[in-house]
Amino acid sequence: MMNHDEIIAATVAYVKEELRSAEGGHDWWHINRVWNNAKLIAASEEADQLVVELGALLHDIADSKFHDGDEEVGPARATAFLESLQVPPGVIEAVVNIIRYISFKGGNEKAAYTSPELAIVQDADRLDAIGAIGIARAFNYGGFKNRAIYDPGIAPNLSLTKEEYKKSTAPTINHFYEKLLRLKDRMNTATGRQLAAERHAYMEGFLEQFYKEWGGFTQRRKGSKGA
C-alpha cells in the first residue's frame, strides 16, 4: 500500500491533469491554495491529515456548475481514483463526504453532514473565495459566464434557495452580498475566522471604492431583496 506522501503526490498529479483546461477560478492554482490553507488550519485542529489533504485536493475535481449541475460527478471520480490507489474505504468515504457537502449552495440550508475534516477544508475553500483572490475569482467567473459587473436595478437576494443559487445569472457585485460577505460568519475554526476577518475587511474596502468610482455613491449598498 502507498504511504501518505505517495498518495498525495499521485493525487496532485491526477488533479493537475484533470484540471489542465479548467476555468481560471477553479483551476489547479485554486486547488493548491485551498490545499495550503487546509494544512495551515489543520495544524491547530484535531483531524485526520490524509483525509484533510485529499479532501482539499479533490474537492473541485468535477464542480457541479461545470457539469450541468450534476453533484455526483465529483464524488464518483474521486471514488474511482482513490480506489485505484487502494486507499482504505473509510478514508475514501470521508473524502467523498467532503466533496459532497463542502459547497455554499445559497447558505440557507442546514448542514446534512459534519466532520472535523470537512470543517477544515470548507474553511480553506471559503478563504479562497474572499479577499483579493476572492474578488479576482468572482469577476473571472462572472466574465466566464458573461454576467454584468453591476446593475443598480437588480438588488441582491439573500434568501436564495439552493436551486435559485445554482441558476442565478445576477451581476457579479450581487455575489458579494449573496455569498462572499456572508462567509466570515460561517467559518468553522478559530484559524479560519482569524484569516477571514482581514480578507472580509479588504472586500468591504473594495466595495466602497467600487461604488465611489461607479458614480459618486460612497455609502455601502444597504437594500437587498430578502434581507
Side-chain angles (χ1 to χ4, degrees):
M1 177 180 169
M2 302 173 86
N3 63 31
H4 178 281
D5 290 346
E6 291 169 336
I7 292 171
I8 296 302
T11 304
V12 167
Y14 169 71
V15 173
K16 284 183 175 180
E17 176 62 22
E18 286 293 304
L19 299 183
R20 66 188 183 283
S21 300
E23 179 266 333
H26 298 80
D27 59 3
W28 159 249
W29 294 111
H30 163 62
I31 301 300
N32 189 58
R33 292 190 301 270
V34 173
W35 181 29
N36 287 331
N37 286 339
K39 288 187 286 186
L40 175 63
I41 296 169
S44 301
E45 302 291 327
E46 292 289 335
D48 186 308
Q49 186 71 22
L50 180 60
V51 171
V52 167
E53 292 196 52
L54 289 176
L57 288 167
L58 294 167
H59 79 278
D60 265 349
I61 196 61
D63 191 312
S64 63
K65 61 177 154 288
F66 301 110
H67 292 83
D68 298 320
D70 189 342
E71 297 180 5
E72 290 305 312
V73 178
R77 287 189 183 177
T79 298
F81 169 72
L82 294 174
E83 286 179 345
S84 76
L85 299 184
Q86 297 184 318
V87 171
V91 172
I92 295 176
E93 180 181 6
V95 171
V96 167
N97 278 329
I98 290 174
I99 297 168
R100 185 170 279 126
Y101 295 105
I102 191 172
S103 294
F104 181 74
K105 297 175 183 174
N108 294 310
E109 294 190 349
K110 290 184 178 181
Y113 171 84
T114 59
S115 75
E117 294 78 19
L118 171 60
I120 291 167
V121 179
Q122 191 171 58
D123 277 8
D125 189 38
R126 288 175 172 178
L127 284 171
D128 206 54
I130 59 178
I133 291 289
I135 292 169
R137 291 182 67 216
F139 285 105
N140 189 82
Y141 185 72
F144 177 77
K145 300 294 286 187
N146 198 33
R147 294 179 180 175
I149 292 175
Y150 173 52
D151 184 339
I154 303 176
N157 182 356
L158 304 188
S159 58
L160 290 169
T161 66
K162 174 182 172 181
E163 290 306 313
E164 287 173 335
Y165 178 79
K166 289 169 64 175
K167 295 177 181 178
S168 175
T169 59
T172 297
I173 285 293
N174 289 30
H175 188 60
F176 283 78
Y177 299 92
E178 293 168 353
K179 177 182 177 181
L180 307 188
L181 291 171
R182 304 168 71 184
L183 294 180
K184 176 177 70 72
D185 294 331
R186 286 169 165 76
M187 303 303 284
N188 303 299
T189 66
T191 302
R193 287 188 289 273
Q194 179 182 0
L195 295 172
E198 179 183 4
R199 299 188 187 206
H200 181 90
Y202 187 91
M203 290 193 299
E204 290 187 317
F206 166 80
L207 289 169
E208 293 284 359
Q209 183 68 19
F210 179 90
Y211 292 129
K212 182 178 180 180
E213 294 179 13
W214 185 269
F217 182 52
T218 57
Q219 290 185 333
R220 229 180 314 163
R221 185 172 188 163
K222 299 295 184 182
S224 57
K225 180 182 176 184

